[in-house]
């Protein structure tokens, strides 16, 4: 059945009801749910992990080719697969990413605080020093 949009005939498809203006993580989740509703889905989260590994390999190949458009496309594919994994393990990808952002901010803040207490700035620190402080922050969080 055709729907009218701006004077055009647009064929109604399964995915056409997924809103285009919503944030990308939520839209990816909705697209995947729709496709899953007709059986286009994996039966096991481990199969999604295999797809994620495949996408990582494709990014690596794109990096070797040095083509920015291909790298961007493969990165998008990886992100889509990660949303799919979140769906399969019943995790809201938006909330998972928000929590990870907060964790990153805490740990990076720890690096800044420790360096400041030592009279140093981020610009003065080496990557190895910052990495060691990052691991220290992780250890402290795990102990709490």
């Amino acid at each position: 059945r055709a729907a009218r949009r701006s004077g055009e005939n647009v064929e109604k498809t399964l995915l056409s009801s997924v809103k285009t203006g919503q944030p990308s993580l939520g839209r990816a989740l909705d697209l995947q749910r729709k496709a899953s509703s007709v059986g286009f889905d994996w039966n096991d989260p481990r199969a999604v992990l295999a797809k994620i590994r495949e996408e990582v390999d494709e990014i690596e190949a794109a990096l070797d080719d040095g083509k920015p458009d291909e790298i961007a496309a493969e990165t998008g594919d990886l992100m889509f697969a990660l949303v799919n994994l979140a769906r399969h393990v019943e995790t809201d990808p938006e909330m998972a990413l928000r929590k990870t952002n907060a964790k990153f901010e805490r740990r990076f803040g720890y690096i800044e605080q420790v360096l400041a207490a030592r009279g140093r700035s981020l610009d003065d620190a080496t990557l190895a020093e910052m990495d060691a402080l990052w691991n220290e922050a992780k250890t402290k969080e795990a102990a709490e």
Side-chain angles (χ1 to χ4, degrees), residues 25 28 32 55 59 74-84:
L25 286 177
Q32 293 167 6
E55 296 300 346
I59 290 172
E74 295 302 342
T75 300
D77 291 350
L78 175 61
M79 294 172 73
F80 193 83
L82 290 169
V83 170
N84 212 349

Side-chain angles (χ1 to χ4, degrees), residues 3 9 17 23 33 35 41 44 60-61 74 76-77 79 82 95 98 104 107 140:
N9 278 333
S17 64
R33 284 180 179 148
D41 203 354
D44 181 351
E60 191 167 17
E74 295 302 342
D77 291 350
M79 294 172 73
L82 290 169
M95 291 308 298
R98 283 182 189 199
F104 180 87
R107 291 178 183 172
K140 285 183 179 240

Side-chain angles (χ1 to χ4, degrees), residues 2-59:
R4 286 247 180 232
R5 218 186 269 171
S6 303
E8 298 176 22
N9 278 333
V10 177
E11 189 67 28
K12 186 76 171 161
T13 66
L14 178 69
L15 301 180
S16 64
S17 64
V18 178
K19 296 175 186 152
T20 57
Q22 66 178 313
S24 296
L25 286 177
R27 185 158 196 271
L29 194 58
D30 289 349
L31 289 167
Q32 293 167 6
R33 284 180 179 148
K34 284 282 188 175
S36 179
S37 74
V38 296
F40 191 73
D41 203 354
W42 284 286
N43 295 325
D44 181 351
R46 292 181 192 282
V48 183
L49 280 173
K51 182 64 176 173
I52 289 168
R53 288 184 189 99
E54 175 187 320
E55 296 300 346
V56 168
D57 290 344
E58 290 175 3
I59 290 172

Side-chain angles (χ1 to χ4, degrees), residues 65-77:
D65 291 343
K67 297 178 183 171
D69 289 346
E70 190 178 327
I71 295 165
E74 295 302 342
T75 300
D77 291 350

Side-chain angles (χ1 to χ4, degrees), residues 63-139:
L63 287 167
D64 291 344
D65 291 343
K67 297 178 183 171
D69 289 346
E70 190 178 327
I71 295 165
E74 295 302 342
T75 300
D77 291 350
L78 175 61
M79 294 172 73
F80 193 83
L82 290 169
V83 170
N84 212 349
L85 177 63
R87 181 176 61 85
H88 274 270
V89 297
E90 299 179 7
T91 297
D92 179 335
E94 178 66 32
M95 291 308 298
L97 187 55
R98 283 182 189 199
K99 287 179 181 178
T100 296
N101 287 344
K103 179 173 54 178
F104 180 87
E105 288 178 293
R106 272 192 323 272
R107 291 178 183 172
F108 196 83
Y110 178 84
I111 293 169
E112 288 181 298
Q113 289 172 357
V114 171
L115 287 173
R118 295 177 182 170
R120 306 203 40 228
S121 71
L122 290 169
D123 291 332
D124 298 331
T126 66
L127 178 56
E129 289 174 299
M130 289 187 281
D131 196 41
L133 290 171
W134 178 272
N135 289 330
E136 196 175 293
K138 279 177 66 173
T139 301

